[in-house]
Amino acid sequence: MDPAGAPAAARYQLLGPVEVRSACGERLVLGTPMQVRLLAVLMSQPGTGWSIDHLVDELWQGRPPKTAAGNVKTYVWALRRALRSPGFPDPAILAGPTGYRLALDGLTVDSVAFDDLAQRGYSALRQGHWSAAQESFEAALALWRGEPFAGLPGWGVLLSVRARLQEQRSSLAEEVADLQLRAGRHHELIEPLRSQIDDDPLRERPWGQLMVALARTGRRADALATYRQLRHLLAEEVGVEPGPDLQHLHTRILRAERELLTFDQRPSERVAPRIAPRQLPAPPTLFTGRAAELARLTTLLLGDSRSASTVVVTGTGGVGKSWLALRWAHDNLHHFPDGQLHVDLGGFGTATQEASPSAVVVHSLLPALGVKPLEIPTEPAAQFALYRSLTADRRLLVLLDNARDAEQVRPLLPGSTRCGVLVTSRHTLPGLVATDGAHPLALDLPSDDEARQLLVRRLGAQRAAAQPAAVDELIRRTARLPLALSIVAARAAARPAFPLQAIADDLAASRGGLAALATDDAATDVRTVLSWSYRLLSTDAARLFRQISLHPAADVVSAAAAASLAGATPHLIRPALDELTRANLLAEPSPNRFRCHDLLRAYGEELTYALDCPADRSAVRRRVLDHYLRVARDAARLVDAGWQPLDPPPLPADASPSAFADHRAALDWFTIEQRVLLAAVDDAVAHRSDAHAGHLAQALTPLLSRLSQWHDLAAVQAIAVTVAQRRGDPRAEALAHRDLALAHIQHRRFGAAHHHLRRAMERYDQAGDLPGQASAHLHLAWLSDIEGDAGAALPHARQALALASSTDDRLGEAAALNALGWSHARLDEHARAITYCEQALALYEKVEDQLGAAHTWDSLGFAYHGLGKHPTAADCYRRALALYSDVQDPCGRADTLVRLGDTHQAVGDHDTSVDLWRQALAILDRVGHPQATMLSERLEAYR
């Protein structure tokens, strides 16, 4: 059993009333309703840390008593007692730097098991394994005992998690019904479908399934009557017609199509080519010795020809764990033909730099295995399940470097014993060894001979042979620690005229060491080596070294960011950067980009907290955030000509200037700095710089959108909503809700998108922001159009035009006119559409907005195509394509290529249309767009 968790047999249940059951099935008494609600909040996101302030908000909904913080601690204490029952020897609720968290094996929580089974079912469905898919779906549904968190008031996180789970349950029930229809079990489906409809009468899919079931049982009249019933219900309740899919199904039943009345065969999915990732960093060129450890790794990882295993390489910081793992990995590549995955988990950097398992899977592992951004599930449990599915039949080597604890590693273990896993950590990870069968390999200090080989390799045999006593003392004074040896050797190599004995004497005179890396022998303390290197720095370089430790992501720092930390220009700061690089306190892996080892950063943090006053540290953090905010805003303006920040603060005098030649350079910069910018948002929130966090989130929207980074956009805008609410800024909150809705639309989570757009409209109305209201209406028009209801989109577009016109918002007017044109074209009112689009185009060209003009030329092409004026339509589409290429909007270009292909198809030019569709498919595949599957099926028909 993992000491941080509960027994494997324990079951935490929230799909119904909140319960915890012991191994023998006994229900534990959890205490008062407030204690049950607290446990429910922790169960809603297992493993997530909750601060006391956040828990107070969840428990008392913004109206806490004065004793709220103390009450939370009392509830936790009582819950721990309740959970420390027979079969529960250790408390599952742990306290940490981020607050309280529920430390469990995720699958012991029924909601996580539900997600896992659902993902397995969807995976089987994609592979055409219908029976396996149905079995997984039905097992997932069987976990439900009632409404999630039944009996608890619905607000805060419980409300959102309850809604998400109920939506997932409904979707799974619909998938099961589809599979049963495919299997010919339509007779037994009719009554269950009627019950589903009674529970949620506005979900259209069960109505369609019921119509198919009735039609296949020979009850066509009842099927048609069911459609009329739904049509009447929708008209009465929401004033809309059934969606296009149901209308088409109604027509097919009227025609008594044979294909509908017999068992349907789903088209086989396109199988993407399997990718063999090659993510290992280069092999360590200075690696020496370690023959016994390399042989032990071979025995543990390759001793069984049928399967590999997991090995945890442990040891003190700087002992060479990563070098050993990389050396062995490169020597044994041929044993893992399906590829190698590598992740630096950042477990022993600062707390803000530790990589969460979900972030690792989303940003590194799944993309490396060929998963497109829009194909990645939104829930962590589903992400981990997909990762296990993709690795289940492969022979991969997975190198998880610098892990903090077993909980960080466990979700990243592949789904096959054929995969080899190398984990490096400064902790022994006993939980991984005890419960997951990992083999520990403790890496001790190298031998004297191996330490001497390392020094000789760096210093040269001649110099080392001339001063053997000094070499021996250097080895003793550094305790043979490879990191310390490397630093000493680098200093000696940089000063060839220095006697080695002088360097050894310097070490002997130095005292201290990083407490986290202290050994039993004081001479092995790494701080001795680092402080010695630090003392040799000039005043400017020493100050910069301390300041870099405050950077949001100190492992990757640009020269411009370093300049902003120092409050100087890049030209003036360059000598200090060069000095730090020569001293091996920084590395420069690529021009003007620097990295700082996490041990060095920890040392720099100790120094800045010891030597610099709080006001100076705050100024450093503010300057670097100002830098990233300014440059991100410059990039956003170039990428989206219509983007403007809310209430921009004045530019500080010490913020480093940006210099982008054009939007292409801006996007190139953002591609490199994306991870740092996301870390900057987190850092701003961590240090209560809510204004910086909110403004950065605003600037990231056009940049993340252009690159289709919808997961990151959703995460950033969720933060923006929180900080805007904390600041009491309704305009900023409205904008964050609107941009969060954009991410949900791209994920096809339309219900969530509607929710956030409604909230945005409420906040814009509260703030009296008419341009904001116009923008929200435009997004609602777009959402209605995507949902297939162009009629519903029109009122929103008209309202957007009225609001934009009333405020003389030229870009808003142009966007609304184009939206009106598009909606009329979708309703076959093509002449009116052209009139509106031409007005929009004139405005866009007047303000030189190329992206808006591209959208409008595309709308004009669609309208002219509808009038049968195909040459004119094709010319409009080509103009749109040229503009989309210029502004680097791949999704816009793909959409227009599809429509241009439709126009060529309409005039009988089949070869050209197929070529255009293939170009579009290549783009959509690259970004993982949902339309890729539909377009691929269309192309299959023309083979």
Side-chain angles (χ1 to χ4, degrees):
M1 186 185 76
D2 185 341
R11 288 291 178 264
Y12 286 69
Q13 300 175 315
L14 59 83
L15 299 177
V18 173
E19 295 180 356
V20 181
R21 292 187 176 271
S22 65
C24 60
E26 177 187 358
R27 184 162 63 89
L28 299 185
V29 177
L30 300 176
T32 68
M34 290 298 278
Q35 289 172 203
V36 174
R37 182 170 182 85
L38 173 59
L39 181 60
V41 170
L42 297 176
M43 288 170 62
S44 70
Q45 297 176 8
T48 297
W50 291 77
S51 68
I52 289 181
D53 288 345
H54 201 169
L55 288 171
V56 166
D57 288 342
E58 289 292 338
L59 292 177
W60 285 280
Q61 201 180 8
R63 295 187 294 275
K66 292 181 180 179
T67 59
N71 290 354
V72 169
K73 295 177 182 178
T74 301
Y75 298 156
V76 170
W77 176 83
L79 282 170
R80 282 173 166 168
R81 284 176 59 89
L83 298 177
R84 195 181 286 113
S85 301
F88 291 78
D90 294 309
I93 302 175
L94 301 182
T98 57
Y100 292 111
R101 62 190 176 95
L102 195 62
L104 297 171
D105 175 0
L107 294 181
T108 64
V109 183
D110 59 359
S111 61
V112 178
F114 171 76
D115 283 338
D116 182 73
L117 286 165
Q119 191 58 43
R120 289 176 185 270
Y122 284 120
S123 177
L125 207 58
R126 285 194 295 269
Q127 299 173 50
H129 301 155
W130 318 123
S131 297
Q134 184 168 339
E135 182 179 344
S136 294
F137 289 151
E138 289 177 342
L141 293 171
L143 295 173
W144 285 65
R145 299 170 294 112
E147 180 185 63
F149 311 111
L152 294 178
W155 68 67
V157 69
L158 299 192
L159 179 62
S160 61
V161 171
R162 177 183 290 161
R164 173 182 64 79
L165 289 169
Q166 288 175 326
E167 171 64 26
Q168 288 179 299
R169 183 192 190 190
S170 297
S171 297
L172 252 61
E174 291 162 5
E175 292 290 352
V176 170
D178 270 352
L179 290 167
Q180 289 176 321
L181 284 172
R182 184 185 180 279
R185 295 165 58 185
H186 34 266
H187 290 87
E188 59 194 78
L189 262 178
I190 293 174
E191 291 310 314
L193 284 171
R194 291 192 192 280
S195 296
Q196 279 183 247
I197 290 169
D198 289 341
D199 291 339
D200 193 352
L202 296 182
R203 291 182 72 91
E204 295 190 18
R205 191 175 175 189
W207 286 90
Q209 292 168 333
L210 177 59
M211 290 165 62
V212 172
L214 289 168
R216 288 185 180 173
T217 55
R219 298 167 61 181
R220 284 180 58 216
D222 289 340
L224 296 171
T226 298
Y227 178 82
R228 290 194 297 272
Q229 182 184 354
L230 169 62
R231 186 178 183 190
H232 175 75
L233 173 69
L234 292 176
E236 289 290 321
E237 295 290 333
V238 290
V240 298
E241 287 288 319
D245 289 344
L246 276 181
Q247 293 180 29
H248 181 57
L249 176 60
H250 177 247
T251 302
R252 294 180 69 191
I253 294 174
L254 283 172
R255 294 173 178 170
E257 291 186 6
R258 178 179 177 82
E259 293 82 359
L260 175 68
L261 302 181
T262 55
F263 306 159
D264 190 17
Q265 297 292 323
R266 296 188 181 199
S268 60
E269 298 286 338
R270 288 184 306 113
V271 179
R274 174 171 289 198
I275 293 175
R278 300 285 188 264
Q279 291 191 323
L280 291 179
T285 56
L286 298 176
F287 184 87
T288 58
R290 302 292 196 187
E293 290 85 353
L294 290 170
R296 179 63 176 159
L297 282 176
T298 299
T299 299
L300 293 174
L301 285 164
L302 302 175
D304 186 341
S305 60
R306 295 169 298 173
S307 65
S309 59
T310 299
V311 175
V312 181
V313 180
T314 64
T316 189
V319 79
K321 302 179 294 293
S322 299
W323 275 24
L324 176 71
L326 281 172
R327 182 68 273 164
W328 186 90
H330 279 282
D331 290 345
N332 292 276
L333 294 178
H334 57 287
H335 290 291
F336 302 95
D338 293 326
Q340 305 86 40
L341 298 168
H342 174 270
V343 181
D344 181 357
L345 296 176
F348 291 88
T350 61
T352 57
Q353 295 304 306
E354 180 183 348
S356 71
S358 178
V360 168
V361 168
V362 168
H363 295 297
S364 181
L365 299 180
L366 289 179
L369 294 169
V371 182
K372 305 297 191 303
L374 287 178
E375 295 174 346
I376 298 175
T378 57
E379 297 301 320
Q383 295 161 1
F384 301 146
L386 179 57
Y387 167 67
R388 291 192 296 271
S389 298
L390 292 174
T391 56
D393 61 347
R394 303 192 190 202
R395 189 167 177 83
L396 291 159
L397 177 63
V398 182
L399 203 170
L400 304 174
D401 200 12
N402 196 15
R404 175 174 290 275
D405 51 35
E407 291 179 6
Q408 190 186 27
V409 172
R410 191 171 288 116
L412 307 180
L413 297 178
S416 169
T417 58
R418 300 178 64 231
C419 296
V421 183
L422 260 175
V423 183
T424 70
S425 178
R426 295 176 200 171
H427 282 176
T428 56
L429 307 189
L432 208 65
V433 174
T435 63
D436 295 277
H439 299 282
L441 191 157
L443 192 60
D444 202 352
L445 297 169
S447 67
D448 284 345
D449 287 343
E450 288 174 327
R452 186 173 289 102
Q453 289 174 27
L454 190 154
L455 282 176
V456 169
R457 197 161 188 172
R458 294 293 298 270
L459 300 175
Q462 184 176 357
R463 189 180 181 190
Q467 305 174 70
V471 169
D472 288 341
E473 187 170 353
L474 286 175
I475 292 172
R476 182 170 60 85
R477 292 291 179 188
T478 58
R480 309 190 312 277
L481 189 69
L483 172 62
L485 285 166
S486 297
I487 294 173
V488 169
R491 179 175 182 266
R495 295 164 175 79
F498 273 37
L500 294 180
Q501 188 59 52
I503 299 174
D505 291 343
D506 235 352
L507 280 173
S510 180
R511 286 291 180 263
L514 289 175
L517 299 176
T519 65
D520 293 338
D521 183 351
T524 67
D525 196 304
V526 174
R527 186 183 284 122
T528 302
V529 178
L530 298 181
S531 63
W532 164 76
S533 298
Y534 174 79
R535 286 202 309 271
L536 295 177
L537 297 174
S538 66
T539 300
D540 288 344
R543 181 171 56 249
L544 181 60
F545 176 69
R546 299 195 304 271
Q547 291 167 335
I548 284 175
S549 72
L550 300 176
H551 184 270
D555 58 324
V556 183
V557 183
S558 67
S564 70
L565 288 163
T569 64
H571 173 72
L572 291 177
I573 208 68
R574 185 70 213 198
L577 288 169
D578 289 341
E579 185 179 348
L580 291 171
T581 303
R582 288 194 301 270
N584 269 346
L585 293 174
L586 283 183
E588 189 176 11
S590 60
N592 293 315
R593 292 188 66 76
F594 299 86
R595 287 183 177 172
C596 183
H597 189 280
D598 59 339
L599 303 183
L600 296 171
R601 174 171 183 164
Y603 180 58
E605 283 182 319
E606 288 186 1
L607 289 172
T608 191
Y609 276 91
L611 302 176
D612 302 317
C613 68
D616 287 344
R617 294 195 300 272
S618 296
V620 170
R621 288 192 172 98
R622 184 177 63 254
R623 285 196 299 267
V624 75
L625 291 173
D626 285 339
H627 161 71
Y628 282 121
L629 178 57
R630 170 175 178 162
V631 184
R633 281 178 164 171
D634 288 347
R637 288 189 184 98
L638 286 169
V639 169
D640 183 351
W643 181 85
Q644 287 296 329
L646 288 179
D647 304 323
L651 180 67
D654 59 353
S656 302
S658 62
F660 296 128
D662 54 24
H663 65 274
R664 292 183 179 84
L667 281 175
D668 290 343
W669 169 83
F670 178 68
T671 300
I672 294 171
E673 296 284 4
Q674 179 179 344
R675 185 175 67 85
V676 178
L677 289 163
L678 296 174
V681 175
D682 292 336
D683 191 68
V685 173
H687 293 95
R688 304 295 288 189
S689 184
D690 287 353
H692 279 104
H695 288 305
L696 270 171
Q698 294 169 21
L700 291 179
T701 294
L703 301 168
L704 290 167
S705 300
R706 188 60 56 87
L707 297 181
S708 300
Q709 298 294 315
W710 308 117
H711 282 283
D712 286 338
L713 180 62
V716 166
Q717 294 309 321
I719 292 173
V721 168
T722 299
V723 298
Q725 291 171 340
R726 201 153 61 195
R727 296 175 64 207
D729 187 341
R731 291 182 68 213
E733 184 184 347
L735 182 59
H737 278 299
R738 189 204 70 181
D739 293 343
L740 185 52
L742 169 62
H744 284 307
I745 290 172
Q746 294 295 345
H747 281 133
R748 295 307 189 258
R749 298 180 65 181
F750 299 138
H754 276 293
H755 165 75
H756 286 289
L757 287 175
R758 285 195 299 270
R759 295 297 299 273
M761 194 69 77
E762 292 168 2
R763 294 298 178 265
Y764 278 132
D765 184 60
Q766 176 186 346
D769 186 339
L770 299 184
Q773 293 176 34
S775 173
H777 276 295
L778 281 174
H779 279 70
L780 284 165
W782 178 37
L783 177 55
S784 296
D785 180 72
I786 291 176
E787 290 180 307
D789 193 348
L794 268 176
H796 288 298
R798 292 192 187 103
Q799 188 67 19
L801 179 60
L803 289 165
S805 300
S806 70
T807 58
D808 198 27
D809 177 6
R810 296 286 185 86
L811 283 174
E813 286 184 62
L817 287 166
N818 183 44
L820 280 168
W822 176 261
S823 296
H824 280 294
R826 293 269 285 169
L827 294 170
D828 294 332
E829 298 170 356
H830 303 297
R832 295 183 69 183
I834 290 169
T835 299
Y836 282 120
C837 289
E838 287 176 342
Q839 294 177 48
L841 187 60
L843 284 174
Y844 276 131
E845 291 177 344
K846 189 171 184 178
V847 297
E848 298 182 350
D849 186 336
Q850 289 182 295
L851 182 60
H855 293 330
T856 308
W857 278 115
D858 178 75
S859 299
L860 281 167
F862 185 70
Y864 279 115
H865 177 97
L867 289 174
K869 297 182 178 181
H870 300 114
T872 305
D875 181 62
C876 293
Y877 285 140
R878 292 188 188 98
R879 287 173 179 264
L881 289 172
L883 289 169
Y884 281 131
S885 295
D886 192 47
V887 300
Q888 292 183 285
D889 186 339
C891 289
R893 181 172 172 80
D895 286 343
T896 300
L897 283 168
V898 171
R899 285 190 271 275
L900 180 56
D902 294 342
T903 297
H904 280 278
Q905 183 69 15
V907 297
D909 187 356
H910 305 299
D911 291 343
T912 301
S913 65
V914 168
D915 179 63
L916 291 166
W917 292 337
R918 284 176 178 159
Q919 293 179 49
L921 180 60
I923 295 171
L924 296 175
D925 268 338
R926 188 168 67 247
V927 301
H929 200 283
Q931 287 184 338
T933 299
M934 186 186 309
L935 185 55
S936 175
E937 291 172 356
R938 180 192 294 192
L939 282 166
E940 288 289 335
Y942 285 91
R943 280 193 172 182

